[in-house]
Amino acid sequence: MNTYTRVSVTSNLQEAQNKVQQLYREGFDREHIYVLTHSAEGTDFVANYTGAEQITIAEEGVLTSIANLFRSRGDELRAKMRALGVPEMEAGRLESELDKGKILVLATPSTEVRAYNGEDFQRTIL
C-alpha cells in the first residue's frame, strides 16, 4: 500500500496517460489519481482522456474552494496542490511548470486531508 503523495510532471497527454496507468498498477486507487493543467478546461480534457480525477471540493475542503473563487489562477493551482499534501515551496515550483504547458499527475494514498509530512511526498519528473 502506498503511504505518500506522488507528483509527476509530464509533457503531453500520452505521458500523462502512461503515468496514470503506472500509478494504478503500483496500487493507487483510480479515484486517488488526479491531473492538473494551467487551465480548468485543459484539466477537464486531460482528466477525461486519462481516466484520472480532478481536484474538487472533496479534496480541497469548503473554505479553500470558496477562497479559490477570489484567487488568481496561480494561487488557486497552488492551493489545489497543497490540498493533496504538496509542500508550499514545491507547489510554487510545480505551478511554474504548469505555466510552461506541462501536465501534473498527482496520486494520494487516500482522500483524507492531513498535514504534510516530509515522508508523505515524492516528486518525480518525466
Side-chain angles (χ1 to χ4, degrees):
M1 176 179 193
N2 295 294
T3 59
Y4 50 87
T5 298
R6 290 273 257 326
V7 180
S8 298
V9 178
T10 62
S11 296
N12 56 51
L13 282 171
Q14 189 59 54
E15 283 182 12
Q17 185 174 42
N18 292 344
K19 181 53 74 173
V20 167
Q21 291 171 351
Q22 176 189 343
L23 290 166
Y24 179 69
R25 286 190 306 271
E26 289 179 14
F28 286 94
D29 293 334
R30 283 227 185 257
E31 54 272 358
H32 298 162
I33 302 173
Y34 306 89
V35 292
L36 191 60
T37 70
H38 199 275
S39 73
E41 298 82 15
T43 299
D44 187 49
F45 180 81
V46 173
N48 287 330
Y49 184 86
T50 63
E53 298 292 323
Q54 296 183 54
I55 303 168
T56 65
I57 193 170
E59 293 81 28
E60 292 178 296
V62 175
L63 295 178
T64 300
S65 187
I66 291 170
N68 281 344
L69 296 173
F70 303 99
R71 291 180 170 146
S72 70
R73 182 63 179 163
D75 289 344
E76 178 185 356
L77 292 169
R78 288 187 297 279
K80 287 179 177 289
M81 288 182 255
R82 295 277 301 138
L84 296 182
V86 176
E88 189 171 337
M89 284 187 64
E90 189 66 13
R93 190 192 68 73
L94 291 168
E95 194 260 325
S96 70
E97 292 294 322
L98 293 175
D99 289 343
K100 299 173 189 172
K102 305 290 183 167
I103 301 167
L104 296 186
V105 180
L106 305 97
T108 61
S110 71
T111 56
E112 280 184 38
V113 176
R114 56 191 173 142
Y116 168 70
N117 176 338
E119 297 173 8
D120 293 337
F121 177 75
Q122 179 183 8
R123 175 184 60 164
T124 58
I125 305 291
L126 289 181

